[in-house]
Amino acid sequence: MTDTVLIETKSLVKSFGALRVLNGVSIQVHQGEALAIIGPSGGGKSTFLRCLNLLETPDGGDVIFEGQKINQKGTNVDKYRQKMGMVFQHFNVFPHMTVQENITLAPTLLKKKTPAEADEKALYLLERIGLLDKKDEYPRKLSGGQKQRLAIVRALAMEPDVMLFDEPTSALDPEMVGEVLDLIRALVEGGMTSVIVTHEMGFAREVSDRILFMSEGQIVEQGAPAQLLDHPRQKRTQDFLSKVL
Amino acid sequence: MTFTSVLQNIIKLLSKYWDVFLLKGVSVTLALSAITVCCGAVLGALLALMKMSPLRPLRWLVTAFVEVIRGTPMLLQLYVGYFIVPLMFPALGLGTFASISVALVINSAAYVSEIIRSGIQAVDVGQGEAARSLGLSKGQTMRKVILPQAVKNILPALGNEFITIIKETSLASTFFVGDLMTSYLIVKGATYLAFESLIIVGIIYFLLTFTLSKLVGAYERRLKQSD
């Protein structure tokens, strides 16, 4: 982890109708840091993550990525999203493309790579996750864990500066959680800046440098995994942890 | 009127007027339906895009159009086309067939636009989000991710629309455009064998739509397999 701030948010506010989902969230994510976000459902974790790459538009506050405020009119959001990989709870692999095409689509379409380079990179990534023999299959033939690993390398093919994980194991059968967590762990250990919304407390403890506890649209508490999970200071954190641990 | 005499009359009619039914009637009905569906699909796609545009007045306009078309009888729309279209474009010298076609296309476009819009909106929202999160633009996301998946929802529904149109073109016989139902009017007028003519025309309509619906069904099953 370095001192360079990669992503910063200042007083993010977001409402859906009358419901205020984010109520002034300010954080900094440093380059190379693995940040886990935990908290009760409906506490704003996913919405916050989706504000980082502007899949949700904040109603107020700033999202600053690599020194640039990106949530303002006239910003080419697509350009910044290319540097922010995202992994979804429900995988969202493209069912009408082969495994390999899933990976090469964005790099070739966005002219980041020639088709030959993109293919080479795709094969390398597939080899790494052990899905090389499935390269010409369609995603329907893959298991949930395989789909999620495909979704992760699809994002990696764009060579992003940060990876955003939105409950990446919540939709998986229990026996497939491990293989996906192993891949995320490998990425984090390789120095990939990561923001991980998760319900896997053990994983958050093991892999992250820092944990944020979010509830009711606010950061209630944050700290190093051992400190936050074992010695929570806030009442709300204690209540939550006593239910899930 | 016994069963045998009806059967004999049908055979007699078929041997004498088969060309009126099969050549003229069927070909005009199919041509009219094909024109309607093809042009209707293009116009309908345009309307669907307008309906999904961020511009509120545009959306409102399309909604109003669709509601008016769906809320008024097709026969009335055909009458309007029959009288209005030649007046609007006198220079083109459009005949009855063209005017009626225009009315049919406009009617079909309204229905097709809803088919296309719902086909696009039936694609999982997560697909678009995943594409956008990779940095694809709105247009790229539509072309490469949404539309290829929406087509699977849209094509079978378009096939069914084609079948509906084949039956609805029978209304065009009111204007004697030469479709299958017009064949019935012609033969009935010449022979006074209304019932027999109706049976012949009915069977032909049924064969057309039944074959087509089987084809659409087979196509639908093939699409399902590739899911």
Side-chain angles (χ1 to χ4, degrees):
Chain A
M1 184 164 83
T2 67
D3 286 339
T4 318
V5 175
L6 201 60
I7 305 180
E8 183 172 9
T9 67
K10 289 182 180 163
S11 317
L12 275 194
V13 174
K14 174 76 184 174
S15 301
F16 292 121
L19 184 71
R20 185 160 263 218
V21 189
L22 294 181
N23 201 356
V25 181
S26 305
I27 64 156
Q28 290 189 337
V29 184
H30 295 89
Q31 193 160 28
E33 183 180 23
L35 178 68
I37 305 179
I38 62 170
S41 299
K45 306 182 301 284
S46 287
T47 306
F48 175 67
L49 194 72
R50 291 159 58 84
C51 279
L52 295 182
N53 67 351
L54 301 184
L55 280 185
E56 302 288 354
T57 314
D59 299 330
D62 299 339
V63 180
I64 298 157
F65 178 64
E66 298 183 343
Q68 294 284 325
K69 178 175 173 179
I70 59 173
N71 62 325
Q72 55 190 353
K73 272 211 160 73
T75 311
N76 183 0
V77 183
D78 299 333
K79 204 179 78 193
Y80 292 103
R81 285 196 182 124
Q82 294 181 25
K83 298 187 198 171
M84 293 195 246
M86 188 164 205
V87 175
F88 300 84
Q89 185 177 352
H90 295 289
F91 328 136
N92 300 343
V93 290
F94 303 135
H96 60 297
M97 296 178 189
T98 64
V99 165
Q100 186 171 345
E101 285 165 354
N102 261 276
I103 303 175
T104 55
L105 172 74
T108 48
L109 198 59
L110 300 170
K111 309 241 182 313
K112 205 171 152 57
K113 285 189 162 63
T114 67
E117 288 167 351
D119 281 333
E120 194 184 337
K121 175 95 182 174
L123 296 179
Y124 162 77
L125 288 166
L126 284 173
E127 166 106 69
R128 188 174 156 188
I129 59 169
L131 287 182
L132 191 54
D133 56 325
K134 303 261 195 246
K135 68 184 169 72
D136 296 322
E137 298 275 15
Y138 284 85
R140 67 175 179 280
K141 296 257 175 110
L142 302 183
S143 71
Q146 290 173 328
K147 280 183 195 162
Q148 191 62 303
R149 285 185 286 145
L150 169 61
I152 292 173
V153 294
R154 177 180 67 180
L156 289 179
M158 287 300 290
E159 296 169 357
D161 295 340
V162 58
M163 287 287 286
L164 310 174
F165 295 92
D166 189 3
E167 301 191 23
T169 58
S170 295
L172 290 174
D173 292 333
E175 73 268 25
M176 290 168 183
V177 170
E179 62 192 67
V180 171
L181 293 185
D182 286 344
L183 178 56
I184 299 174
R185 182 184 299 114
L187 289 179
V188 168
E189 282 166 2
M192 174 63 77
T193 312
S194 303
V195 183
I196 308 163
V197 170
T198 185
H199 290 294
E200 305 275 341
M201 296 303 149
F203 180 68
R205 175 196 296 271
E206 176 202 346
V207 88
S208 69
D209 300 304
R210 181 162 54 118
I211 300 183
L212 294 183
F213 174 70
M214 266 186 89
S215 179
E216 292 166 19
Q218 286 174 321
I219 296 171
V220 177
E221 188 170 352
Q222 58 177 302
Q227 184 261 313
L228 186 117
L229 294 176
D230 299 332
H231 309 286
R233 284 186 296 258
Q234 299 291 326
K235 177 88 174 59
R236 272 191 286 176
T237 320
Q238 291 161 3
D239 286 347
F240 174 74
L241 289 175
S242 71
K243 280 178 205 142
V244 297
L245 285 181
Chain B
M1 191 167 77
T2 65
F3 178 71
T4 357
S5 72
V6 168
L7 205 63
Q8 276 169 347
N9 283 337
I10 288 178
I11 294 169
K12 209 160 66 191
L13 284 183
L14 272 179
S15 56
K16 189 162 177 204
Y17 293 104
W18 64 273
D19 55 331
V20 179
F21 289 119
L22 288 180
L23 288 188
K24 189 140 198 304
V26 169
S27 62
V28 171
T29 287
L30 284 180
L32 208 53
S33 308
I35 291 172
T36 304
V37 172
C38 292
C39 300
V42 174
L43 193 59
L46 221 66
L47 289 173
L49 286 180
M50 284 164 68
K51 177 105 189 221
M52 290 182 294
S53 98
L55 294 174
R56 201 177 294 239
L58 217 54
R59 290 205 305 265
W60 190 85
L61 209 68
V62 177
T63 307
F65 170 76
V66 170
E67 290 303 327
V68 167
I69 293 294
R70 291 209 289 198
T72 54
M74 174 114 155
L75 188 56
L76 181 145
Q77 293 162 16
L78 293 184
Y79 269 108
V80 171
Y82 179 72
F83 290 121
I84 301 287
V85 173
L87 287 179
M88 279 170 68
F89 308 101
L92 295 178
L94 292 176
T96 305
F97 184 84
S99 306
I100 293 301
S101 300
V102 169
L104 281 170
V105 165
I106 287 178
N107 173 282
S108 173
Y111 286 93
V112 170
S113 77
E114 287 298 288
I115 290 175
I116 293 178
R117 187 186 57 82
S118 64
I120 288 175
Q121 289 180 345
V123 176
D124 181 14
V125 189
Q127 291 290 312
E129 289 184 346
R132 296 305 303 275
S133 81
L134 288 164
L136 270 61
S137 69
K138 246 185 187 160
Q140 289 168 329
T141 299
M142 198 43 126
R143 280 198 309 280
K144 295 288 181 178
V145 176
I146 309 286
L147 282 182
Q149 297 184 62
V151 163
K152 288 189 176 185
N153 308 328
I154 293 170
L155 280 184
L158 266 189
N160 289 325
E161 171 71 7
F162 189 53
I163 292 164
T164 308
I165 292 288
I166 285 181
K167 291 181 286 182
E168 289 194 330
T169 51
S170 62
L171 286 175
S173 66
T174 313
F175 308 92
F176 240 71
V177 293
D179 69 316
L180 199 46
M181 207 63 184
T182 310
S183 307
Y184 155 76
L185 294 174
I186 292 170
V187 174
K188 184 194 73 173
T191 64
Y192 298 106
L193 292 171
F195 183 59
E196 288 85 346
S197 314
L198 267 185
I199 288 187
I200 293 174
V201 169
I203 289 175
I204 298 177
Y205 270 119
F206 178 78
L207 288 179
L208 285 179
T209 55
F210 185 74
T211 317
L212 264 170
S213 78
K214 286 291 151 199
L215 285 176
V216 171
Y219 179 67
E220 225 168 330
R221 274 194 299 282
R222 237 189 63 196
L223 282 185
K224 282 235 174 70
Q225 271 169 15
S226 72
D227 265 341

